[in-house]
Amino acid sequence: MAETLRRVLGPGRAAGPGEENAAVAEPPLLLLGGPGSGKTALLFAAALEAAGDGRGPVLFLTRRPLQSLPHRTRAALDPLRLQKIRFQYPPSTCELLRLLCSVHEARGPAPSLLLLDGLEEYLAEDSGPQEAAYLAALLLDTAAYFSHQVGPGRGCGLIVALQTQEEGDSGDALQLSLLQRYFPAQCWLQLDARGPGQRCLRACLEPGGLGPRAEWWVAFQPDGEMTVTPWPTQVDDSSSNKGSSSGGQP
């Protein structure tokens, strides 16, 4: 689901040939960052993006209700988009597993995008590698089931947010390495000190072999508004390579 985040972080970018149906071929994406790095805000922005593209609804799984809309834009206030985002709040790993195992019983149209916020909270209850692998595999199977339900040429994407620690132990590193096998695409969020009165971060998107690596500087205003600009080195590289017939990575 790198293309969904690329559209969120690169507003105004037109979809290229075949990108309207890119969710079918795109690998699942792991959204990584420390506490307060904007993971929930970007997940919600991805939900709004998917809800506005004319496809199916969005299923947003999180342990607790959002206290406020974390992405204050015109799209975030669009009632038609908000109605297409279905929030569910499994309070424990057991309830999350039960929900994922019972999706075939749900009525209504299948989601075009499955989002899970706070994976680390569920893994904390059962932190072994087997439990992490089982939950990751079940998430992928659920997205595959939804993809089958929505029909060929459409598919259901999957984005999962995981909180990382600056000084993780060997167990955390092993768990992350295991999860990366299931989620080939990753987006790393790193807090940046710039901008008085703002919460700023650097977003680095590794699309898992589908397209080049990309980076942005993201700033959250005190009222929650999000502004995005290309990372400076990326701007310099694109200007210096202007006119080149081949597009290399930054």
Side-chain angles (χ1 to χ4, degrees):
M1 288 314 296
E3 186 55 38
T4 299
L5 277 186
R6 199 184 295 272
R7 292 200 303 269
V8 168
L9 294 169
R13 177 183 178 274
E19 286 181 0
E20 295 83 354
N21 297 326
V24 178
E26 280 193 273
L29 186 140
L30 194 61
L31 185 62
L32 299 149
S37 60
K39 298 182 296 298
T40 300
L42 281 183
L43 274 186
F44 187 68
L48 290 171
E49 179 69 27
D53 67 4
R55 298 170 62 224
V58 176
L59 180 56
F60 197 123
L61 305 179
T62 181
R63 201 177 182 101
R64 59 190 63 86
L66 302 181
Q67 298 302 312
S68 61
L69 297 181
H71 187 59
R72 293 179 180 271
T73 63
R74 182 176 301 177
L77 302 177
D78 183 350
L80 296 180
R81 293 197 187 204
L82 292 174
Q83 288 173 10
K84 291 183 67 176
I85 303 175
R86 304 195 319 233
F87 288 95
Q88 295 199 36
Y89 309 103
S92 65
T93 305
C94 181
E95 289 299 319
L96 175 61
L97 295 176
R98 182 178 290 115
L99 187 154
L100 295 175
C101 290
S102 62
V103 294
H104 63 282
E105 301 174 357
R107 297 182 178 180
S112 63
L113 179 61
L114 172 60
L115 302 171
L116 173 65
D117 193 17
L119 175 60
E120 74 286 343
E121 296 188 51
Y122 294 106
L123 295 179
E125 298 179 23
D126 297 293
S127 57
Q130 291 183 338
E131 290 78 7
Y134 177 71
L135 179 53
L138 189 55
L139 285 165
L140 267 64
D141 286 347
T142 302
Y145 172 78
F146 287 147
S147 293
H148 178 73
Q149 293 298 107
V150 299
R154 302 180 71 184
C156 174
L158 173 63
I159 303 178
V160 173
L162 174 71
Q163 180 173 298
T164 57
Q165 302 297 329
E166 293 184 1
E167 297 182 0
D169 57 25
S170 59
D172 292 336
L174 177 62
Q175 187 179 82
L176 177 57
S177 177
L178 184 151
L179 290 171
Q180 288 173 326
R181 299 178 187 178
Y182 291 88
F183 295 86
Q186 288 123 42
C187 183
W188 292 83
L189 305 177
Q190 182 179 5
L191 286 171
D192 190 273
R194 290 183 289 173
Q198 297 177 330
R199 183 161 56 98
C200 305
L201 59 96
R202 180 178 185 175
C204 177
L205 178 64
E206 298 277 2
L210 296 179
R213 179 174 179 265
E215 295 183 72
W216 298 268
W217 186 59
V218 184
F220 292 96
Q221 306 299 331
D223 64 354
E225 181 182 356
M226 184 176 77
T227 58
V228 183
T229 55
W231 191 254
T233 55
Q234 193 164 274
V235 174
D236 294 341
D237 289 345
S238 63
S239 60
S240 63
N241 292 329
K242 190 173 292 185
S244 172
S245 59
S246 61
Q249 293 190 6

